[in-house]
């Protein structure tokens, strides 16, 4: 299976969801999408089959997130000026080394699973191919866009790129060289390396990759190395001018040296200096830039880009970067028909054409859930190499950048474990990122309190108060469902939601009314200032305090608290009678607890309550009276009030308030 | 990053990390527990390359064993035995078998206690943590109950069903019969396990803000000194001899996830936080400057009490030497453990970091 098939086979496309896009200015997004040529596709599902979530690649996700964030830090300094080229290059290399580490792990996995499961091994082989392709493209991007070289002469780096990704020839050369040295050391007169069937193939292979030194070393190992043709060839190769970007030679000077040298080689070839050995003659023809051997070169190259760099090396070593697109096209034609062109070739061609937008569009289709697209886009954006113009000639690069980040962040947010990584990406696409975070954070299932606390911290750090409230409310209702009234109240208090706390306070009161004791008294007794969140909760807190005082036998304090509660608007109507009933033992206690004034307040409360109760009674009923139990309670209270009032008046010896009439009426 | 810091990505968020004890010798193994990884959570044994030959190598995975839910606490009880608690309310005793032979080493569950913290509705509740004292174990859970276990017995010794009306988040053995628990609201309760009555003997609030207690630790030599980490990043120092005396320290800027004193060098404390900080608190300079024998007696302060820098308000606030163990991470640090001069931290960015030479001055 080749790389393009692997890319296609594992292709993962994110499905768009129209409903969700509608919430966030669907129109503008669509317009933008048209310009950018990317379908609007947010609210993606984190497909578990995607290779990105394989344990091996999760390292990639997490480590690159760290690199991404340091890139954003760098971006903050970019505005302040100065040359950040070296730092950006370092960043690019760090991404590549992350991929390489990942690849090495995968090689180990392939090796390990080879012994056991074939299926798994072939899966990892595919993953390796995808990552290999990613690294190849990244490396090329780094050469073309990140590592800016004076004079735009990129061939030396491109040769390095080819060597790095097509290492077969170099590896074989190393083996041959080692074997040859061993033979010489063992006392043989010559190494006779040409006996190896791959000798000439390897020699030409390294030559085409620009390794002149390796070619010479290999030629020395030939049995005829001491004969005149070989000696001559060695001289030619040794004197070959090599362009060094930082060497200080002007391009024109180098070009003059180069054509002079090539003419010299050509003369020697034409004179038949190398004719005794056809392979050697081929090498020298290649070196002299002889176009007639083009076809032969082709068979030594595995890919069209190898062919391109090889031809350029011997025909136009100082080619400028903007000419590469022409040469790429040319090499591709020479190598084979374009109908066989595969995704990877297309990407490389697009890169030579300096068309990052299309590259990014293509990359979004790869099997890595956009991992590559997002990080490459980000890097190019930081380097200022992402320039995309819409129909109005406005640069929309930042929109593309934001769009890609949003997609990737959203995709990760949907993953059950990597959602925290998603947050980091959404953090860096203002202003939409924060909005989306506000929608997505509360959607994460609150499976445990630990998770809830993590989400709350994320929301809190980003000042998303509404998310904090939502999480607290969800936790409260979850606790309520689990019949944990105390915990529900603890979460409700954090949400500061008055309605919810009112509701819970009512539940507490109802529980008290039926059981005669409070659930979660450890919480209620320690509410502190939190009880001020809602009226009902304040009442609940004070009511508990009353019971505490009562239990502690602090009758006076309990009494005055009760009176102040009843005279406030806090108690719910259906609870007033219960409160008044609590007054009875205080009124009947051996010592005087409630003063005449207090009694008066209670009495007026009772009067008010009775009137209200009477009016509430079903008007259709004939009796127009209260039920027996309520009636009895009211009577008991009234009696106690009367007795206490008389006692209080005597003890206090003070002026009788104007309540005589009512009291007489009561008795 | 500092070359003393060795980071390794392990493809799962780490909730707990602990060095395997080696009878007081330097340890080369640690165990990690993962969280929030669907049904794939596990405990894993790692081996650190021994200094010298391959110093820069990553720790290598030796073996792992699945757990039923997020790992919420992990503690060694013996050199080769550790307890692990999970979010499904299970506490399991695991034994590392054949530790000398990496290829054959396995983690074997030797004993497990299930459904320890179920809700009234029957739904499984998380065990949020446990404390150990010799062979005894006390666990706390989201359902607000305390369960007392013994490593030799299959059945729980005692269950305090409604110990707290809120979720309990952390627990500590003050002594064999006494435990301290902290809940979601920062309410701390002291329990005497000898008393049959299910009532705490002491209750106090961490702060007036109703912010949860996240972790508790005890000074290794001065056991009346208790440090409680809070959800707001504060560390509150309590002197249990005077319950009203607390020094709240504005420490981290996010939830304090764990604190641990160096077992052999109590002058050193390590703490980590959900905002990515991991710190080293060095109090040795404070302890030295207030040692009795110096001209301290005229102040009338008991020099012995003053020797504990944590209870010295002034020292704690102004003179503690706090150094970051490594640069602040972009994800939360969930766990920290120390062995000799090496610290290991476990984080939400799916990495563990081994930091060597921590006791040498970093200034």
């Amino acid at each position: 299976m080749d790389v393009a098939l692997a890319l296609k086979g594992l292709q993962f496309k994110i499905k768009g969801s129209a409903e969700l896009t509608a919430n966030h200015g669907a129109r503008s997004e669509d317009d933008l999408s048209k310009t950018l040529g990317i379908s609007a596709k947010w609210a993606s599902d984190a497909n578990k089959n995607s290779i990105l979530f394989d344990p091996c690649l999760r390292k990639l996700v997490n480590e690159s997130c760290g690199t991404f964030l340091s890139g954003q830090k760098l971006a903050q300094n970019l505005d302040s000026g100065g040359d950040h080229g070296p730092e950006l290059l370092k960043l690019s290399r760090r991404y590549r080394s992350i991929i390489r580490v990942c690849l090495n792990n995968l090689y180990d996995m392939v090796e390990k699973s080879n012994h056991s499961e074939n299926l798994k091994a072939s899966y990892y082989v595919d993953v390796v191919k995808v990552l290999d392709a990613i690294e190849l493209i990244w490396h090329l991007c780094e050469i073309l866009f990140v590592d800016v070289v004076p004079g735009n002469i990129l061939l030396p780096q491109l040769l390095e790129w080819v060597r790095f990704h097509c290492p077969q020839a170099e590896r074989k050369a190393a083996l041959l060289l080692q074997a040859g040295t061993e033979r010489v050391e063992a006392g043989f007169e010559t190494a006779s390396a040409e006996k190896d069937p791959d000798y000439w193939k390897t020699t030409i292979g390294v030559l085409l990759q620009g390794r002149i030194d390796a070619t010479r070393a290999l030629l020395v190992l030939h049995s005829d190395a001491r004969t005149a043709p070989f000696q001559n060839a060695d001289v030619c190769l040794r004197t070959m001018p090599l362009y060094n970007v930082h060497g200080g030679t002007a391009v024109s000077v180098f070009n003059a040296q180069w054509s002079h040298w090539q003419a010299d080689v050509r003369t020697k070839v034409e004179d038949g200096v190398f004719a005794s050995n056809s392979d050697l003659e081929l090498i020298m023809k290649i070196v002299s830039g002889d176009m007639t051997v083009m076809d032969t070169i082709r068979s030594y190259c595995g890919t069209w880009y190898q062919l391109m760099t090889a031809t350029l090396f011997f025909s136009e070593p100082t080619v400028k970067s903007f000419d590469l697109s022409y040469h790429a096209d040319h090499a591709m034609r020479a190598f084979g028909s374009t109908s066989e062109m595969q995704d990877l070739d297309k990407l490389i061609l697009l890169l030579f054409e300096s068309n990052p937008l299309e590259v990014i569009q293509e990359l979004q289709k790869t099997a890595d859930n956009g991992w590559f697209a997002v990080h490459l886009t980000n890097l190019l954006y930081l380097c200022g190499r992402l320039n995309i113009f819409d129909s109005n000639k406005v640069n929309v690069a930042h929109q593309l950048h934001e769009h890609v980040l949003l997609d990737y962040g959203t995709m990760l947010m949907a993953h059950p474990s990597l959602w925290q990584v998603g947050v980091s990406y959404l953090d860096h696409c203002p202003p939409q990122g924060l909005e989306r975070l506000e929608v997505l954070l509360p959607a994460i299932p609150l499976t445990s309190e630990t998770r809830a606390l993590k989400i709350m911290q994320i929301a809190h750090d980003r000042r998303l108060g509404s998310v904090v409230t939502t999480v607290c409310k969800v936790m409260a209702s979850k606790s309520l469902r689990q019949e944990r009234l105390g915990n529900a109240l603890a979460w409700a208090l954090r949400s500061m939601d008055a309605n919810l706390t009112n509701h819970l306070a009512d539940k507490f009161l109802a529980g008290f009314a039926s059981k005669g004791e409070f659930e979660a008294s450890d919480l209620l007794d320690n509410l502190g200032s939190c009880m001020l969140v809602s009226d009902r909760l304040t009442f609940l807190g004070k009511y508990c305090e009353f019971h505490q005082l009562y239990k502690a036998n602090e009758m006076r304090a309990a009494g005055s608290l009760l009176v102040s509660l009843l005279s406030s608007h806090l108690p719910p109507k259906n609870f007033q009678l219960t409160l008044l009933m609590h007054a009875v033992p205080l009124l009947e206690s051996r010592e005087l607890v409630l003063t005449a004034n207090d009694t008066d307040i209670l009495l007026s409360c009772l009067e008010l309550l009775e009137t209200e109760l009477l009016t509430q009674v079903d008007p259709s009923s004939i009796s127009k009276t209260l039920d027996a139990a309520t009636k009895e309670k009211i009577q008991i209270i009234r009696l106690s009030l009367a007795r206490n009032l008389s006692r209080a008046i005597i003890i206090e010896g003070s002026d009788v308030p104007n309540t005589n009439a009512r009291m007489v009426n009561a008795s | 990053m500092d070359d003393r810091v060795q980071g390794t990505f392990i493809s799962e968020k780490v909730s707990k990390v602990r060095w395997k004890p080696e009878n007081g010798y330097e340890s080369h193994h640690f165990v990690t527990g993962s969280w929030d990884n669907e049904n794939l959570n596990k405990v894993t044994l790692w081996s650190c390359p021994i200094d010298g030959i391959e110093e820069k190598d990553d720790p290598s995975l030796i073996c792992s064993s699945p757990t039923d839910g997020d790992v919420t606490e992990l503690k060694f009880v013996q050199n080769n035995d550790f307890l692990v608690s999970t979010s499904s309310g299970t506490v399991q005793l695991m034994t590392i078998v054949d530790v000398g032979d990496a290829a054959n080493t396995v983690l074997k569950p030797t004993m497990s206690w299930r459904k320890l913290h179920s809700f009234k509705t029957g739904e499984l509740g998380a065990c949020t943590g446990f404390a150990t004292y010799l062979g005894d174990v006390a666990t706390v859970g989201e359902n607000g109950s305390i369960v007392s276990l013994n490593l030799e017995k299959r059945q729980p010794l005692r269950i305090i069903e409604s110990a707290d009306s809120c979720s309990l988040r952390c627990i500590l053995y003050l002594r064999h019969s006494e435990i301290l628990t902290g809940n979601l609201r920062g309410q701390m309760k002291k329990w005497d396990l000898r008393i049959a009555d299910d009532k705490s003997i002491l209750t106090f609030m961490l702060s007036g803000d109703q912010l949860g207690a996240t972790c508790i630790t005890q000074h290794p030599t001065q056991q009346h000194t208790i440090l409680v980490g809070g959800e707001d990043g504060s560390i509150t120092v309590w002197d249990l001899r005077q319950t009203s005396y607390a020094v709240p320290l504005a420490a981290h800027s996010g939830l304090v996830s764990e604190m641990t004193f160096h077992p052999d060098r109590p002058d050193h404390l390590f703490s980590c936080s959900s905002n990515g900080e991991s710190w080293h608190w060095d109090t040795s300079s404070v302890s030295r400057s207030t040692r009795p024998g110096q001209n301290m007696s005229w102040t009338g302060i008991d020099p012995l009490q003053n020797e504990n820098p944590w209870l010295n308000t002034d020292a704690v606030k102004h003179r503690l030497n706090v150094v970051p163990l490594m640069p602040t991470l972009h994800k939360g640090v969930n766990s920290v453990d120390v062995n000799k001069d090496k610290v290991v931290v476990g984080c939400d960015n799916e990495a563990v970091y081994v930091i060597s030479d921590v006791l040498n001055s970093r200034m």
Side-chain angles (χ1 to χ4, degrees):
Chain A
M1 194 193 261
D2 67 43
V3 180
L5 266 177
L7 281 165
K8 267 191 187 147
L10 296 162
Q11 205 171 83
F12 169 70
K13 282 185 186 169
I14 305 165
K15 291 182 194 84
S17 165
E19 307 91 75
L20 280 166
T21 330
N23 297 336
H24 283 267
R27 174 151 302 177
S28 65
E29 186 130 323
D30 280 352
D31 287 347
L32 175 66
S33 306
K34 258 180 221 156
T35 317
L36 300 175
I38 298 172
S39 55
K41 45 175 182 176
W42 93 280
S44 47
D45 21 292
N47 191 332
K48 275 187 216 153
N49 297 326
S50 161
I51 58 165
L52 195 60
F53 303 133
D54 184 275
C56 244
L57 294 209
R58 272 175 75 159
K59 297 176 189 181
L60 191 75
V61 176
N62 277 293
E63 204 170 354
S64 57
C65 177
T67 311
F68 166 78
L69 289 174
S70 51
Q72 302 317 299
K73 253 187 219 154
L74 192 64
Q76 286 168 359
N77 305 330
L78 281 181
D79 303 331
S80 59
D83 181 21
H84 292 277
E87 282 163 78
L88 288 166
L89 183 62
K90 223 160 125 191
L91 206 64
S92 173
R93 296 225 164 113
R94 231 160 90 194
Y95 277 122
R96 275 176 51 214
S97 85
I98 295 171
I99 303 176
R100 286 245 73 95
V101 169
C102 213
L103 271 170
N104 287 340
N105 283 336
L106 282 166
Y107 290 136
D108 289 348
M109 296 286 283
V110 172
E111 212 161 282
K112 258 188 226 160
S113 46
N114 257 342
H115 307 299
S116 49
E117 308 140 90
N118 270 325
L119 202 75
K120 223 172 169 190
S122 73
Y123 168 73
Y124 282 122
V125 167
D126 289 347
V127 177
V128 163
K129 280 174 182 160
V130 175
L131 276 195
D132 235 355
I134 288 178
E135 217 265 325
L136 173 90
I137 296 168
W138 195 301
H139 194 172
L140 185 59
C141 285
E142 186 179 298
I143 294 168
L144 293 175
F145 305 114
V146 184
D147 190 7
V148 186
V149 177
N152 268 337
I153 292 165
L154 301 177
L155 195 65
Q157 282 165 287
L158 288 178
L159 282 167
E160 203 178 296
W161 169 66
V162 166
R163 282 202 289 269
F164 196 75
H165 294 279
C166 309
Q168 300 86 347
E170 273 196 359
R171 266 185 218 154
K172 181 71 193 171
L175 287 178
L176 284 174
L177 287 172
Q178 198 187 350
T181 331
E182 274 165 20
R183 268 182 75 85
V184 172
E185 271 169 16
F188 290 91
E189 202 171 316
T190 62
S192 310
E194 76 277 9
K195 283 185 185 136
D196 190 296
D198 286 334
Y199 174 74
W200 284 110
K201 193 182 155 200
T202 309
T203 313
I204 295 173
V206 292
L207 176 76
L208 291 178
Q209 293 188 350
R211 292 292 310 268
I212 302 300
D213 48 344
T215 317
R216 283 176 57 205
L218 280 170
L219 287 178
V220 168
L221 295 181
H222 198 276
S223 316
D224 300 333
R226 302 221 175 115
T227 61
F230 277 85
Q231 293 289 334
N232 260 321
D234 192 57
V235 171
C236 285
L237 291 174
R238 198 176 61 218
T239 52
M240 177 174 176
L242 289 172
Y243 185 73
N244 182 350
V245 178
H246 304 287
T249 324
V251 177
S252 52
V253 175
F254 172 81
N255 281 343
Q257 284 176 357
W258 172 258
S259 45
H260 186 261
W261 174 81
Q262 254 193 345
D264 189 40
V265 177
R266 216 172 292 134
T267 326
K268 283 187 180 157
V269 173
E270 278 159 16
D271 290 350
V273 173
F274 314 108
S276 62
N277 188 315
S278 63
D279 289 306
L280 187 67
E281 194 172 25
L282 175 64
I283 288 184
M284 294 325 282
K285 273 185 180 169
I286 296 171
V287 167
S288 71
D290 188 341
M291 284 324 231
T292 56
V293 293
M294 244 325 227
D295 273 346
T296 332
I297 296 181
R298 193 202 162 286
S299 64
Y300 288 97
C301 297
T303 56
W304 64 267
Y305 42 90
Q306 256 178 297
L307 180 64
M308 179 186 98
T309 48
T311 355
L312 283 175
F313 183 56
F314 298 111
S315 60
E316 210 181 328
T318 55
V319 64
K320 301 271 181 184
S321 58
F322 40 81
D323 284 333
L324 285 174
S325 131
Y326 163 78
H327 291 289
D329 199 49
H330 190 72
M332 220 158 164
R333 256 179 253 271
F335 189 75
S337 66
T338 39
S339 65
E340 286 169 33
M341 192 163 83
Q342 277 147 353
D343 286 2
L344 185 62
D345 299 321
K346 198 167 144 197
L347 280 173
I348 295 171
L349 192 64
L350 284 171
L351 281 175
F352 281 130
E353 285 168 2
S354 274
N355 194 342
L357 174 62
E358 265 187 69
V359 172
I360 288 161
Q361 285 167 3
E362 283 297 314
L363 289 180
Q364 286 215 321
K365 295 180 200 154
T366 52
D368 62 353
N369 277 17
W371 175 89
F372 186 23
V374 71
H375 291 100
L376 187 67
T377 311
N378 179 246
L379 185 69
L380 294 181
Y381 182 72
L382 291 183
C383 295
R385 299 303 296 263
L386 201 63
N387 296 305
I388 299 149
F389 298 95
D390 66 359
S391 48
N392 300 324
K393 303 265 182 277
V394 178
N395 195 343
V396 290
H398 71 277
Q399 278 161 301
L400 171 73
H401 179 239
E402 185 177 332
H403 186 93
V404 176
L405 284 184
L406 271 176
D407 266 357
Y408 184 69
T410 308
M411 186 270 300
L412 286 179
M413 284 291 283
H415 189 272
S417 185
L418 291 168
W419 53 273
Q420 281 168 299
V421 185
V423 174
S424 298
Y425 288 88
L426 292 182
D427 273 347
H428 290 95
C429 34
Q432 280 202 53
L434 199 64
E435 284 173 21
R436 194 164 290 189
L437 207 55
E438 201 168 359
V439 177
L440 292 177
L441 268 184
I444 296 170
L446 301 172
T447 45
S448 66
E449 267 180 4
T450 316
R451 208 178 198 190
L453 289 171
K454 292 261 180 200
I455 295 172
M456 277 170 63
Q457 171 127 39
I458 289 172
H460 182 260
D461 291 348
R462 286 154 188 80
R463 296 175 197 280
L464 295 173
S466 68
V467 176
V468 177
T469 314
T470 314
V471 170
C472 290
K473 281 198 210 166
V474 172
M475 289 308 282
S477 60
K478 194 176 158 189
S479 300
L480 199 57
R481 214 173 45 243
Q482 289 162 339
E483 297 173 29
R484 299 159 69 212
L485 216 46
N487 208 47
L489 185 60
W491 281 107
L493 286 176
R494 286 168 176 235
S495 78
M496 305 286 269
D497 185 280
N499 283 334
L500 186 59
T501 43
N502 268 347
H503 175 70
L504 290 171
D506 279 340
K507 287 232 166 210
F508 273 107
L509 292 174
F512 179 79
S514 63
K515 282 185 224 146
E517 60 174 335
F518 276 113
E519 204 178 314
S521 56
D522 55 341
L523 192 162
L524 296 179
D525 293 348
N526 287 290
L527 276 177
S529 59
C530 289
M531 67 169 74
L532 299 174
V533 170
S534 77
D535 284 355
R536 198 58 49 82
L537 192 68
T538 317
F539 169 69
L540 180 65
K542 286 287 166 197
Y543 184 54
C544 284
E545 208 176 309
F546 164 75
H547 279 283
Q548 266 178 301
L549 291 169
Y550 187 79
K551 264 189 210 153
N553 224 12
E554 290 184 37
M555 294 303 175
R556 265 175 202 285
S560 65
L561 183 61
L562 189 68
V563 171
S564 70
L565 264 180
L566 273 166
S567 57
S568 73
H569 62 286
L570 291 173
K573 286 277 170 270
N574 57 3
F575 218 77
Q576 280 177 340
L577 194 63
T578 321
L579 278 182
L580 283 166
M581 279 304 283
H582 288 316
V584 174
L586 296 174
L587 294 165
E588 299 289 338
S589 67
R590 195 178 286 269
E591 274 178 46
L592 185 72
V593 175
L594 295 165
T595 62
N597 243 330
D598 292 341
T599 322
D600 185 41
I601 293 169
L602 294 186
L603 193 58
S604 55
C605 279
L606 184 68
E607 291 296 324
L608 205 65
L609 183 67
E610 199 180 1
T611 343
E612 268 175 31
L613 285 173
L614 275 169
T615 50
Q616 267 171 24
V617 173
D618 187 8
S620 64
S621 79
I622 315 146
S623 62
K624 276 248 172 197
T625 50
L626 299 163
D627 63 283
T630 317
K631 230 173 171 178
E632 199 189 326
K633 274 184 191 167
I634 291 177
Q635 262 173 5
I636 292 170
I637 298 164
R638 207 184 285 278
L639 186 65
S640 304
L641 282 170
R643 281 171 34 171
N644 190 62
L645 188 62
S646 61
R647 198 159 52 133
I649 291 166
I650 293 163
I651 292 172
E652 282 169 18
S654 60
D655 293 338
V656 183
N658 298 329
T659 50
N660 292 8
R662 241 183 276 161
M663 194 186 73
V664 172
N665 187 13
S667 53
Chain B
M1 229 176 244
D2 196 322
D3 61 353
R4 283 186 274 201
V5 181
Q6 173 77 25
T8 311
F9 285 86
I10 66 166
S11 298
E12 55 189 11
K13 292 192 272 191
V14 189
S15 59
K16 291 290 159 190
V17 56
R18 299 283 180 256
W19 289 107
K20 172 178 140 37
E22 298 288 1
N23 286 331
Y25 292 103
E26 190 176 354
S27 173
H28 296 291
H29 292 91
F30 61 86
V31 176
T32 59
S34 73
W35 80 286
D36 206 19
N37 198 11
E38 292 187 282
N39 47 4
L40 299 169
N41 290 296
K42 55 185 191 287
V43 283
T44 310
L45 177 68
W46 301 83
S47 136
C48 271
I50 293 164
D51 290 352
I53 325 151
E54 312 158 284
E55 205 176 340
K56 277 287 122 189
D57 267 5
D58 283 343
S60 52
L61 188 151
I62 295 188
C63 56
S64 60
S65 166
T67 58
D68 56 348
D70 300 345
V71 172
T72 54
E73 181 60 282
L74 205 158
K75 272 181 182 157
F76 273 88
V77 285
Q78 294 276 324
N79 281 353
N80 291 323
D81 298 331
F82 63 89
L83 280 167
V84 56
S85 66
T86 70
S87 63
S88 60
T90 304
V91 173
Q92 207 162 30
L93 180 65
M94 308 282 272
T95 304
I96 306 171
V97 185
D98 283 334
V99 74
D101 177 10
N104 293 321
T105 309
V106 284
L107 296 176
K108 197 173 125 218
T110 32
M111 182 99 118
S112 65
W113 297 266
R114 293 184 189 281
K115 298 182 184 171
L116 288 176
H117 294 282
S118 299
F119 297 117
K120 282 181 213 157
T121 51
E123 206 177 320
L124 288 179
C127 173
T128 50
F130 62 83
T132 55
Y133 196 100
L134 302 172
D136 281 350
V137 184
T139 75
V140 286
E142 272 189 22
N143 71 343
S145 69
I146 302 171
V147 180
S148 160
L149 304 170
N150 186 287
L151 292 180
E152 308 287 320
K153 298 189 175 89
R154 292 213 164 269
Q155 293 304 316
L157 299 182
R158 181 174 176 195
I159 300 173
I160 305 179
E161 197 57 65
S162 322
D164 204 305
S165 57
C166 294
S167 296
L168 287 169
R169 305 294 307 170
C170 47
I171 182 165
L172 177 83
Y173 266 101
L174 293 171
R175 61 186 81 167
H176 195 196
S177 56
E178 270 182 9
I179 54 174
L180 185 69
T181 60
N183 76 4
L184 189 68
R185 297 169 55 239
Q187 192 173 34
M188 312 298 297
K189 288 183 184 176
K190 199 164 132 184
W191 304 83
D192 191 332
L193 293 173
R194 291 168 302 191
I195 300 174
D197 191 13
D198 286 353
K199 287 255 155 46
S200 60
I201 51 172
L202 180 74
T203 304
F204 54 89
M205 293 297 286
L206 202 55
S207 72
D209 304 332
Q210 308 260 331
L211 283 161
T214 53
C215 51
I216 322 178
T217 193
Q218 188 173 30
H219 196 281
T221 51
Q222 307 197 14
Q223 306 206 330
H224 52 85
T225 310
I226 303 292
L227 268 62
V228 186
E231 217 175 290
D232 57 345
S234 67
I235 293 177
T236 309
V237 186
W238 280 88
D239 184 347
L240 285 174
R241 298 169 305 186
Q242 307 156 275
T243 50
S244 60
Y245 179 68
V247 191
L249 285 172
H252 292 284
S253 47
L255 176 153
V256 185
S257 11
E258 231 174 60
M259 297 175 292
T260 181
F261 279 100
H262 195 291
D264 320 323
R265 305 271 301 271
D267 298 342
H268 299 268
L269 176 82
F270 300 90
S271 68
C272 59
S273 145
S274 70
N275 69 338
E277 291 162 342
S278 37
W279 287 355
H280 174 193
W281 305 63
D282 184 355
T283 62
S284 46
S285 59
V286 182
S287 320
R288 265 197 300 280
S289 67
T290 53
R291 203 142 279 174
Q294 293 183 6
N295 266 346
M296 289 293 290
S297 50
W298 60 273
T299 54
I301 300 166
D302 173 14
L304 274 174
Q305 183 193 328
N306 216 22
E307 194 190 2
N308 185 340
W310 293 102
L311 296 178
N312 179 338
T313 328
D314 172 57
V316 143
K317 287 217 166 126
H318 306 291
R319 282 157 48 210
L320 279 188
N321 187 3
V322 186
V323 225
L325 282 170
M326 56 178 187
T328 303
L329 289 176
H330 52 90
K331 297 279 177 311
V333 181
N334 292 328
S335 184
V336 57
D337 197 28
V338 59
N339 176 278
K340 298 293 160 193
D341 66 349
K342 277 194 296 192
V343 165
V344 60
V345 294
C347 321
D348 269 348
N349 68 346
E350 307 197 340
V352 282
Y353 296 87
V354 178
I355 304 142
S356 40
D357 275 346
V358 283
L359 293 185
N360 290 343
S361 170
R362 313 188 130 225
M363 297 304 278

